[in-house]
Structures are given as C-alpha cells and as structure tokens.
Amino acid sequence: MNPHDPLAPPTLAHFADLRVEVGRPEVLSRGPRGMRRLVPITGGEARGDGWTARVLPGGTDFQLIVSDTLSELDARYGLETDAGDLIYVQNHAVRSAPAEVMSALLRGEPVDPAQVYFRCHPRFETASKTLGWITDRMFVGVGVRHPAEVVMRFFSL
C-alpha cells in the first residue's frame, strides 16, 4: 500500500483514556422515537499523552433508548487539565446489545462488556495552546458502561 495515498484507510492514534462518573438516570419522556433519559455527569478523570484532566461535574448524557437493543447517546461535559486549560466535549455514541443485556444496563446492573457494542465519536473545543489541535481533528472511541461510571478510550484519526 502506498503510504502517500490520500485515500488510504485512516490509522488510529491513541489520544486519551477517560473515566466518567455518572449519577442516577432520570426518565424525561417516553415518546414516539423512544424513551429519553438524562444521566448526570458528576466527575471523573482523563489521561492523555503528557496531560491529565478532571471531568467537571455538571455535564449530562442525553440518551434516546430507541429500542430494547439500541441506545443513542449524546454526552456533553467539560474537562479541566492540570495546566488549567478547559475543554468542551460532545460525545455521540451508539450502544447496542441483546435485549436482556440492554435491560440489565438500563437497570444499572453490571454486564459483560463483551456483549455490548459501544462506539463513539467525540468532538472537542478548547482555547488551549498545547491541546488546541484537537479542535481541528476527528476522533473515534470505544466504551464500557459500569453501574456508576463510563470508561472510554479515544483515538484520533
């Protein structure tokens, strides 16, 4: 394969590992598109190459439970690096699993992460001089939902 081919498949480079602490979900509505839930983001941490950050409390994961096997997630929260830089994160995700696994997840029970497809594409905004490049790049990630936290790994494309 030609390494200078502009249409070559993208490579992934590790960007950060996140542990996002979450509170008790609140059902907002049950409508024609599915059940809408709000999950408060209460804290956590992020670790990248040469930087660390805390997850700021006050964010929310806006969830649409489309069916008994599919959820669409839209999490919005902030990070504050140890250097004092602020980063806005908006992370769109898809989580799917067999109905019995998804039901256990929605009840807040632990499940085998191997049974859950959890993929995401976070976007970042920051005025940081050190991390400003992340505003201009595309990212993808994988995640695991635990009862009180979400663990994710993000990669730049």
Side-chain angles (χ1 to χ4, degrees):
M1 183 181 302
N2 177 356
H4 302 291
D5 178 1
L7 297 177
T11 57
L12 300 179
H14 178 262
F15 173 61
D17 291 336
L18 279 78
R19 185 183 59 77
V20 177
E21 298 164 357
V22 295
R24 183 182 173 118
E26 181 178 331
V27 174
L28 186 61
S29 69
R30 296 177 194 271
R33 294 196 57 226
M35 177 175 56
R36 293 200 179 270
R37 299 189 334 160
L38 304 177
V39 180
I41 294 172
T42 60
E45 62 188 12
R47 296 189 178 280
D49 184 21
W51 64 276
T52 59
R54 69 184 183 107
V55 176
L56 299 172
T60 302
D61 184 2
F62 300 88
Q63 299 184 345
L64 176 62
I65 312 307
V66 178
S67 70
D68 61 351
T69 61
L70 176 64
S71 297
E72 296 175 359
L73 316 175
D74 179 12
R76 299 169 188 223
Y77 53 95
L79 303 175
E80 181 178 21
T81 70
D82 288 347
D85 294 320
L86 297 173
I87 302 169
Y88 171 72
V89 182
Q90 182 172 5
N91 189 19
H92 293 281
V94 171
R95 190 170 61 204
S96 65
E100 63 277 2
V101 174
M102 189 65 79
S103 181
L105 263 178
L106 294 177
R107 289 190 306 269
E109 299 170 5
V111 300
D112 177 1
Q115 295 186 21
V116 182
Y117 177 88
F118 187 152
R119 301 294 185 268
C120 58
H121 57 97
R123 291 196 47 103
F124 304 98
E125 294 176 22
T126 185
S128 167
K129 292 191 186 317
T130 306
L131 292 171
W133 64 272
I134 66 176
T135 301
D136 302 331
R137 297 291 184 268
M138 185 173 279
F139 295 83
V140 294
V142 295
V144 174
R145 175 68 154 96
H146 297 291
E149 67 184 12
V150 179
V151 177
M152 293 170 288
R153 182 163 289 153
F154 295 158
F155 302 88
S156 63
L157 288 172

